Amino acid sequence: MEYETPLFFRVMQYADRADRDVIDMVSGNPDWEPPEALREGLGEYADLEPDQFQYPPSEGLHELREEIAARRNVDTEQVVVTNGAGEANYLAMARALERDRGDEVVLTDPVYPYYPGKTTMLGGRQRFVAADETGQLDPADVRDAASEETAAIVVNSPNNPTGAVYPEETIRELVAIAEEHDAILVSDEVYDHFDLSGRFASALGVDSDHRIVTNAFSKSMAITGFRVGYAVFPPHLVENAKSRHMLVNVAGSRPAQYAVLRALRETEPEYYEQSRELLAERVETFTDALEAAGADYTTPQGSFYVMARFEGYPGTLENVERLIDEAGVAGMPGEAFGDSRADWLRFALVTPRVEEAADRLATHFE
Amino acid sequence: MEYETPLFFRVMQYADRADRDVIDMVSGNPDWEPPEALREGLGEYADLEPDQFQYPPSEGLHELREEIAARRNVDTEQVVVTNGAGEANYLAMARALERDRGDEVVLTDPVYPYYPGKTTMLGGRQRFVAADETGQLDPADVRDAASEETAAIVVNSPNNPTGAVYPEETIRELVAIAEEHDAILVSDEVYDHFDLSGRFASALGVDSDHRIVTNAFSKSMAITGFRVGYAVFPPHLVENAKSRHMLVNVAGSRPAQYAVLRALRETEPEYYEQSRELLAERVETFTDALEAAGADYTTPQGSFYVMARFEGYPGTLENVERLIDEAGVAGMPGEAFGDSRADWLRFALVTPRVEEAADRLATHFE
């Protein structure tokens, strides 16, 4: 079996090896401070008794699950703490496919490339529905694509790579379509704290046995390397997901869970607000510079990403590598996200040097 | 799809809820100190710059892979750092099964119950080969069971639950059998630092493209909750395993990897020696008390476990729960490890109270 390996790591490696200063706008790694309580929690954990260094409960530290459940207004038993949103999406998609109700997974184009990769690995088939130019998804198009063969519909709002935030009506319709076909809506909401539009709607707001919501603290707490995420399952789907989690990973890493629990309890809303404001400023700075350079670009409603198009410079891996060498800016090739964005490049706004990056791009393409 | 959920967590929960003092001998959670450098590494990590809190390389921190490769005398590229031995075994078994060379997985009876659970989850079929009364595996029996249908042979030495340590001839023969049938020997060596016999032989000692070795720092560093393990693949099998690891988990938890790297570099052989001596003392204390109580028991050559049999008290879950309530000792039901040990109970020597536990058992059964 061959999988499609996401290109992220390949581009990052190329940028690391470049023989010049490169502004890294490849992956969604926040460059800002984690919550202070997270550092304190980890430091405190390092001195605990040995019994605290042993297996946590497989489904996650109970108090962490309780904190998550209280915030999401669900039952603690519905929450499985995972190794980041990556494992949460894997468990959710596996759960949808193993019900033997079809093997198609409806995905968007453009798409976050891990989703089609996971689909292949799990023995499913991808069916793509095109988003519009702004990244919005028309539920009517999803309804046309859905059928008895549909096991899951996987969406991501705020969206990577388009920056689109789906309105509540879209989420409500997607749940309804999943219900009509006995499929599962998998709603990956990992950028929920980075909604710049005020329109974000969680799929948990729609009561249904046909949706699984995935999330993580990777972005909201600026700790993509800690690998603490979670999935919220309908009650009748949670047990087998817990079994799969146990059989694959036994449990998630306890020091990371402990630190996140501490941070979740003690971090004030201002922390998240400041991260969002920082991002909003960078969006403005970067898009202003792109505008001045005469490039096409998207203005994200949420998430970390701006897509840009430079005339005669399609978003291929080769062009991304040339841009690293010649302009000192590393982005992601649009083609990694599907045919519809093959002319585009994606830039993650996770560096204080967004203005310099835009200037370098303007100089390079002028 | 239904999986067999390992009973470990169920028994531990029952013991936790018991209305009396219970000596916990259920799971293989060391009760001794981790290496000092591990605590130091974690404390140091808590104060690093934010970029150190982001995604590590998917296959693990490069320096950690180098340290592992140097110790195991393999190429760094063959090493994938995993979320504990649990994920390492999952990746290894998935890799063996997805080659489309048969769907049978040869396992031992008694067996560590995660292996048959993973087999079912991965769409394979179990075929059990009985170990002898001492836990040794006769390669001739494995050869009889192996066929074109064999995708993998999964073994564990030092063994959980029997305490057997396979001699080098056995390992050599198992590799040869895997080669004869184009199958993969998966050798789980997580207890390698707890060989009390001096006879432990790693499958890495047999040069072959048909064996994958899995391991973890969970037991050797007394950190089952950190979830840092690894698998060593033959060069032609490693790429797809890395892809699966990426698609399931993206990466392992970085604070845990950082702390393990520090501990791996700075921990002297005396640390491991002391853990082994502690275990050897406990084996003697516990088996002496069982002997005095007239019970049947096994004396482990390695790993953490003693199996004991009390007349008229088979190793069922019900009897384990009765023993928690009535004797205040929590073990594992032998039936969890397969039919051949259904009359037995397994006790993990991970408590300073092994003598008291044995006395409680003697009193209860006298």
Side-chain angles (χ1 to χ4, degrees):
Chain A
M1 192 186 291
E2 296 294 326
Y3 313 130
E4 297 163 61
T5 304
L7 285 171
F8 300 98
F9 286 95
R10 187 161 156 191
V11 176
M12 283 193 290
Q13 277 184 338
Y14 189 91
D16 279 348
R17 289 177 191 149
D19 203 19
R20 59 163 295 163
D21 172 60
V22 178
I23 302 177
D24 177 2
M25 302 179 81
V26 180
S27 79
N29 276 330
D31 63 305
W32 49 86
E33 264 288 308
E36 186 54 34
L38 183 109
R39 291 182 178 278
E40 288 167 9
L42 196 59
E44 183 181 277
Y45 181 88
D47 295 322
L48 294 182
E49 293 297 310
D51 68 321
Q52 296 296 308
F53 285 16
Q54 310 311 321
Y55 295 121
S58 177
E59 62 265 36
L61 289 175
H62 191 71
E63 290 173 302
L64 178 56
R65 292 169 65 223
E66 284 181 330
E67 291 284 336
I68 293 166
R71 279 165 177 74
R72 307 314 305 265
N73 196 26
V74 298
D75 194 280
T76 303
E77 284 311 305
Q78 294 177 254
V79 177
V80 181
V81 175
T82 58
N83 191 73
E87 195 211 348
N89 288 324
Y90 161 76
L91 293 180
M93 292 172 69
R95 194 68 199 82
L97 281 160
E98 73 188 2
R99 296 171 312 132
D100 292 330
R101 306 275 211 292
D103 64 356
E104 258 183 27
V105 177
V106 174
L107 300 169
T108 60
D109 178 6
V111 71
Y112 176 58
Y114 277 91
Y115 305 150
K118 284 177 210 278
T119 302
T120 302
M121 183 180 72
L122 288 164
R125 288 175 296 125
Q126 299 85 354
R127 183 169 179 131
F128 291 98
V129 175
D132 71 16
E133 284 205 355
T134 68
Q136 289 294 330
L137 190 60
D138 186 340
D141 295 338
V142 176
R143 180 165 272 118
D144 286 346
S147 72
E148 298 238 309
E149 295 301 310
T150 307
I153 303 164
V154 182
V155 296
N156 171 226
S157 167
N159 188 264
N160 174 8
T162 66
V165 173
Y166 298 167
E168 193 186 334
E169 310 86 80
T170 297
I171 298 296
R172 193 170 294 283
E173 271 293 284
L174 292 173
V175 173
I177 296 163
E179 288 182 344
E180 284 160 31
H181 295 286
D182 195 9
I184 305 287
L185 175 72
V186 178
S187 180
D188 177 348
E189 303 177 356
V190 74
Y191 293 102
D192 61 352
H193 282 68
F194 298 93
D195 170 29
L196 305 175
S197 70
R199 292 211 306 171
F200 170 72
S202 169
L204 288 177
V206 189
D207 190 35
S208 172
D209 276 351
H210 288 77
R211 52 113 182 86
I212 300 171
V213 169
T214 61
N215 210 319
F217 304 96
S218 305
K219 313 291 181 179
S220 60
M221 293 188 182
I223 48 165
T224 56
F226 277 49
R227 315 305 306 134
V228 183
Y230 64 90
V232 178
F233 291 88
H236 73 291
L237 296 178
V238 73
E239 287 308 323
N240 272 23
K242 286 181 183 172
S243 292
R244 180 178 282 265
H245 170 66
M246 187 184 287
L247 289 168
V248 169
N249 276 330
V250 183
S253 186
R254 187 164 184 162
Q257 289 186 33
Y258 184 93
V260 164
L261 171 60
R262 178 79 179 268
L264 200 53
R265 284 178 169 162
E266 298 182 12
T267 304
E268 301 293 330
E270 289 70 28
Y271 170 80
Y272 305 104
E273 185 59 41
Q274 281 167 14
S275 305
R276 204 155 39 232
E277 282 169 10
L278 176 69
L279 184 68
E281 283 164 27
R282 288 178 179 178
V283 167
E284 198 174 336
T285 303
F286 194 63
T287 55
D288 281 357
L290 289 173
E291 176 76 32
D296 289 336
Y297 61 90
T298 60
T299 302
Q301 298 183 306
S303 84
F304 296 170
Y305 310 100
V306 167
M307 301 204 77
R309 180 165 57 178
F310 301 94
E311 210 179 312
Y313 203 82
T316 61
L317 179 61
E318 192 188 3
N319 276 344
V320 161
E321 293 181 348
R322 264 183 65 198
L323 212 56
I324 289 169
D325 292 329
E326 296 175 7
V329 179
M332 274 294 290
E335 67 177 11
F337 304 95
D339 295 340
S340 69
R341 296 304 189 272
D343 284 344
W344 297 73
L345 300 164
R346 190 200 72 173
F347 298 98
L349 305 183
V350 290
T351 163
R353 298 161 75 192
V354 288
E355 186 160 13
E356 188 183 353
D359 289 345
R360 287 185 182 188
L361 293 172
T363 305
H364 184 75
F365 287 112
E366 79 184 358
Chain B
M1 190 187 292
E2 297 295 326
Y3 312 130
E4 296 163 63
T5 304
L7 285 172
F8 299 99
F9 286 95
R10 189 162 153 188
V11 176
M12 282 193 288
Q13 278 183 337
Y14 190 90
D16 278 347
R17 289 178 189 145
D19 203 19
R20 59 164 295 163
D21 171 61
V22 178
I23 302 177
D24 178 3
M25 303 179 81
V26 179
S27 80
N29 276 330
D31 62 306
W32 50 87
E33 264 289 306
E36 186 53 34
L38 183 109
R39 291 182 178 277
E40 288 166 8
L42 197 58
E44 182 181 276
Y45 181 88
D47 296 322
L48 293 182
E49 292 297 309
D51 67 321
Q52 295 297 308
F53 285 16
Q54 310 310 321
Y55 296 119
S58 177
E59 61 267 35
L61 288 175
H62 191 72
E63 290 172 301
L64 178 56
R65 292 169 65 222
E66 283 180 332
E67 291 285 336
I68 293 165
R71 280 165 177 73
R72 307 314 305 265
N73 197 25
V74 297
D75 193 280
T76 302
E77 285 309 307
Q78 294 177 253
V79 177
V80 181
V81 175
T82 58
N83 191 73
E87 195 212 347
N89 288 324
Y90 161 75
L91 293 180
M93 292 171 68
R95 195 68 200 82
L97 281 161
E98 72 187 4
R99 297 170 312 132
D100 293 330
R101 304 276 212 290
D103 62 358
E104 258 184 26
V105 177
V106 174
L107 300 169
T108 60
D109 178 5
V111 71
Y112 176 58
Y114 276 91
Y115 304 150
K118 284 178 211 275
T119 301
T120 301
M121 183 180 70
L122 288 163
R125 288 176 296 125
Q126 300 84 355
R127 183 171 179 127
F128 292 98
V129 175
D132 72 16
E133 285 204 357
T134 68
Q136 288 295 331
L137 189 62
D138 186 340
D141 295 337
V142 176
R143 181 166 271 117
D144 286 346
S147 72
E148 298 237 310
E149 295 302 310
T150 308
I153 302 164
V154 182
V155 296
N156 172 226
S157 167
N159 188 266
N160 174 8
T162 66
V165 173
Y166 299 167
E168 193 186 333
E169 310 86 81
T170 297
I171 297 294
R172 193 171 293 283
E173 272 294 282
L174 293 173
V175 172
I177 296 163
E179 288 182 343
E180 284 160 30
H181 295 287
D182 195 10
I184 305 288
L185 176 71
V186 178
S187 181
D188 177 348
E189 303 178 356
V190 73
Y191 293 101
D192 61 354
H193 282 68
F194 298 93
D195 170 29
L196 305 176
S197 70
R199 293 211 306 171
F200 170 72
S202 169
L204 289 177
V206 189
D207 190 33
S208 172
D209 276 351
H210 288 78
R211 51 109 183 91
I212 299 170
V213 169
T214 62
N215 211 320
F217 303 97
S218 305
K219 313 291 182 182
S220 62
M221 293 187 182
I223 48 164
T224 55
F226 276 50
R227 316 304 307 134
V228 183
Y230 63 90
V232 179
F233 292 88
H236 74 291
L237 296 179
V238 71
E239 288 307 323
N240 273 22
K242 286 180 183 172
S243 291
R244 180 177 282 265
H245 169 67
M246 188 184 287
L247 288 169
V248 169
N249 277 331
V250 182
S253 186
R254 187 163 184 165
Q257 289 185 35
Y258 184 94
V260 164
L261 171 60
R262 179 79 181 267
L264 200 52
R265 283 178 170 162
E266 297 182 13
T267 304
E268 300 293 331
E270 288 72 27
Y271 170 80
Y272 304 104
E273 186 58 43
Q274 282 166 13
S275 306
R276 206 158 34 236
E277 282 169 11
L278 176 70
L279 185 68
E281 283 165 27
R282 288 179 178 178
V283 167
E284 197 173 337
T285 303
F286 194 63
T287 53
D288 282 356
L290 290 172
E291 176 76 33
D296 287 338
Y297 62 88
T298 60
T299 302
Q301 298 182 309
S303 83
F304 296 170
Y305 309 100
V306 167
M307 301 202 78
R309 180 166 55 179
F310 301 94
E311 211 178 312
Y313 203 84
T316 61
L317 180 60
E318 191 188 2
N319 276 343
V320 161
E321 294 181 347
R322 264 182 65 197
L323 211 54
I324 290 169
D325 292 328
E326 296 175 7
V329 179
M332 273 293 290
E335 66 177 11
F337 304 97
D339 296 340
S340 69
R341 295 305 189 272
D343 284 342
W344 297 72
L345 300 165
R346 189 200 73 174
F347 298 97
L349 305 183
V350 290
T351 165
R353 299 162 74 192
V354 288
E355 186 159 14
E356 187 182 353
D359 290 344
R360 288 185 182 188
L361 293 172
T363 305
H364 184 73
F365 288 111
E366 82 187 354

